[in-house]
Amino acid sequence: MSQSLINNLNTRQFYIDGGWVDPIEQSSIAVINPATEQSIVQLATAGEDDVNAAVSAAKLAFGSFSNSSIKERIELLEAINAQLILRNDDIAAAISLELSLIHISEPTRLR
């Protein structure tokens, strides 16, 4: 994984209730490159209290989301999709590194 990608990751917090929050329990897990057996990055792990906070926030958000129109839901999902497309290369690079695969950012045509 490129250093710039690692530097742009928030690996020590969780996104809960519309913002980044520190974990209640301070523990982490290493993501290992199976080819080198080296740690790529340390990720925060969620304990029971962290999960409960996320579930509580999701339950609160469900009320307003369930009352939103189909148009509003489509707009939200399209905005999420647009962000995923912008990060496509980063996501592919992270998955490739984690699985020890070769990542090619530009598609290659077979002849």
Side-chain angles (χ1 to χ4, degrees):
M1 187 176 302
S2 72
Q3 193 60 44
S4 64
L5 176 58
I6 292 172
N7 292 340
N8 289 326
L9 292 176
N10 185 343
T11 61
R12 299 294 183 180
Q13 293 183 306
F14 303 122
Y15 196 79
I16 298 175
D17 199 19
W20 290 102
V21 297
D22 291 327
I24 296 167
E25 296 181 22
Q26 296 295 318
S27 62
S28 64
I29 187 169
V31 176
I32 305 296
N33 179 327
T36 64
E37 296 185 354
Q38 298 297 311
S39 174
I40 301 167
V41 67
Q42 292 281 329
L43 298 177
T45 57
E48 184 176 349
D49 291 337
D50 298 305
V51 173
N52 288 339
V55 169
S56 293
K59 284 180 179 178
L60 287 174
F62 180 75
S64 62
F65 182 77
S66 64
N67 291 320
S68 63
S69 69
I70 291 175
K71 181 179 184 246
E72 291 169 317
R73 292 179 192 193
I74 290 171
E75 289 171 355
L76 174 63
L77 292 174
E78 287 176 341
I80 292 169
N81 186 53
Q83 290 301 309
L84 286 171
I85 290 169
L86 287 175
R87 300 286 310 271
N88 187 48
D89 280 343
D90 289 344
I91 294 166
I95 292 169
S96 296
L97 186 60
E98 183 179 356
L99 299 177
S100 292
L101 302 172
I102 297 172
H103 172 248
I104 301 170
S105 61
E106 293 295 322
T108 304
R109 292 182 183 241
L110 298 176
R111 296 175 193 206

